[in-house]
């Protein structure tokens, strides 16, 4: 397994030994106290793209050792918001606002290449978009719609989505997709949506317990893990068909911009709430 890189405020923590040891890496972001890296993506070939919520972009071409600036894609960084970057390896996409009322998805063919508009008709300005790629398919979730592309973002077909408050969407690359979110921002009841036909149709399950700020990851072999506030973990071993009871496996909650990832059989969970803590399985 290659480099593991996780966000921690406006910097990164980086590991090259299966998560046993970690070093801090500065990417050159600037911001007030409490600012954080909103989103991070890699193509698995040493290229990384990171963005902050206020519109700053940085890229690395050497597996996160050094970072350089990327031309802002969404206009003035004072008003711009960035909430998602993703990659297929051959294409990079980003979602953000050029102002408080205009959502502009963009795409590029390399991490440092020129960015062009990627029109997706019907995107709501009131909801952030979540994007993921796997097995030749791009999925973008926005408000109560799923947008699907199988031609590198040239055309998009919309369909009903699992739920508008989806926080993250992931795939195993073999046609199974899982999206997680909350029913509302009061009770924070967990929603898990699942597709087994490459995003064409979805089934949704709502759980009665609170699961604030849910995140999801898979090992690509049928096991999925959902993490949430309060240190909760929910696990499926049948590709999301059924889910076990909650376990409180972590001593801290994962509030804020936490992360869960599985790579090469190694599961890592990062809590960015101070002090930053990393859990390894």
């Amino acid at each position: 397994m290659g480099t593991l890189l996780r966000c921690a405020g406006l910097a990164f923590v980086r590991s090259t030994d299966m998560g046993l040891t970690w070093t801090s890496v500065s990417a050159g972001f600037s911001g007030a106290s409490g600012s954080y890296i909103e989103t991070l993506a890699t193509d698995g070939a040493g290229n990384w793209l990171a963005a902050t919520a206020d519109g700053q972009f940085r890229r690395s071409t050497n597996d996160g050792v050094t970072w350089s600036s990327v031309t802002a894609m969404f206009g003035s960084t004072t008003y711009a918001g960035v909430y998602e970057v993703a990659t297929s390896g051959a294409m990079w996409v980003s979602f953000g606002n050029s102002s408080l009322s205009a959502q502009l998805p963009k795409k590029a063919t390399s991490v440092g290449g020129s960015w062009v508009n990627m029109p997706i008709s019907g995107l709501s300005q009131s909801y952030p978009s979540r994007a993921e790629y796997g097995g030749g398919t791009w999925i973008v979730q926005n408000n109560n719609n799923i947008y699907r592309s199988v031609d590198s973002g040239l055309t998009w077909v919309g369909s009903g989505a699992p739920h508008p408050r989806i926080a993250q969407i992931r795939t195993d690359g073999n046609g199974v997709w899982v999206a997680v979110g909350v029913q509302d921002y009061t009770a924070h009841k967990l929603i898990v949506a699942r597709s087994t036909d490459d995003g064409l149709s979805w089934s949704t399950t709502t759980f009665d317990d609170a699961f604030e700020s849910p995140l999801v990851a898979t090992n690509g072999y049928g096991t999925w893990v959902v993490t949430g506030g309060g240190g909760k973990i929910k696990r499926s071993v049948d590709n999301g068909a059924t889910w076990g009871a909650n376990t409180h496996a972590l001593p801290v909650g994962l509030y804020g911009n936490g992360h869960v990832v599985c790579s090469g059989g190694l599961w890592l969970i990062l809590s960015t709430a101070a002090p930053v803590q990393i859990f390894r399985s």
Side-chain angles (χ1 to χ4, degrees):
M1 183 179 62
T3 299
L4 294 166
L5 196 66
R6 295 293 96 192
C7 308
L10 288 174
F12 300 101
V13 285
R14 182 176 183 268
S15 175
T16 57
D17 58 4
M18 294 285 287
L20 289 173
T21 59
W22 295 82
T23 56
S24 297
V25 178
S26 173
F29 288 115
S30 60
S33 176
S35 299
Y36 58 85
I37 297 166
E38 175 74 20
T39 180
L40 174 70
T42 180
D43 61 2
N47 298 300
W48 295 76
L49 180 65
T52 62
D54 62 359
Q56 300 177 69
F57 288 84
R58 294 289 187 275
R59 67 174 174 131
S60 174
T61 58
N62 57 8
D63 250 346
V65 176
T66 59
W67 294 80
S68 59
S69 62
V70 177
T71 302
M73 285 91 78
F74 302 104
S76 169
T77 57
T78 303
Y79 299 101
V82 180
Y83 35 72
E84 184 78 307
V85 293
T87 184
S88 65
M91 185 176 85
W92 298 74
V93 302
S94 57
F95 291 83
N97 292 340
S98 62
S99 67
L100 296 180
S101 61
Q103 186 172 149
L104 289 177
K106 290 180 177 285
K107 66 178 180 178
T109 55
S110 68
V111 69
S114 299
W115 292 81
V116 298
N117 290 344
M118 183 179 65
I120 304 177
S121 177
L123 286 187
S124 168
Q125 311 306 327
S126 301
Y127 290 84
S129 297
R130 303 302 176 195
E132 175 76 333
Y133 172 86
T137 299
W138 278 97
I139 293 287
V140 171
Q141 193 273 339
N142 170 267
N143 194 14
N144 59 352
N145 285 296
I146 283 286
Y147 299 90
R148 184 175 179 271
S149 177
V150 293
D151 57 7
S152 297
L154 293 176
T155 59
W156 295 84
V157 177
S159 62
H163 197 279
R165 296 182 183 89
I166 293 298
Q168 195 173 66
I169 184 169
R170 292 290 182 258
T171 181
D172 64 356
N174 294 306
V176 177
W177 295 73
V178 171
V180 295
V182 294
Q183 187 179 47
D184 57 60
Y185 295 130
T186 302
H188 299 282
K189 291 185 177 181
L190 176 67
I191 292 172
V192 177
R194 176 175 177 259
S195 172
T196 58
D197 56 8
D198 214 18
L200 290 172
S201 61
W202 296 79
S203 60
T204 303
T205 302
T206 301
F207 296 91
D208 288 334
D209 48 350
F211 232 88
E212 191 172 350
S213 303
L215 299 167
V216 64
T218 180
N219 65 357
Y221 298 98
T223 298
W224 293 76
V225 167
V226 176
T227 65
K232 295 177 182 177
I233 291 179
K234 191 177 286 290
R235 182 171 176 263
S236 171
V237 295
D238 54 10
N239 251 335
T242 61
W243 295 83
N246 291 345
T247 59
H248 293 263
L250 305 180
V252 299
L254 296 177
Y255 301 103
N257 195 32
H259 301 271
V260 57
V261 63
C262 181
S263 181
L266 171 67
W267 294 85
L268 289 170
I269 297 173
L270 170 68
S271 169
T272 58
V276 173
Q277 299 187 58
I278 298 170
F279 305 93
R280 180 177 184 268
S281 174

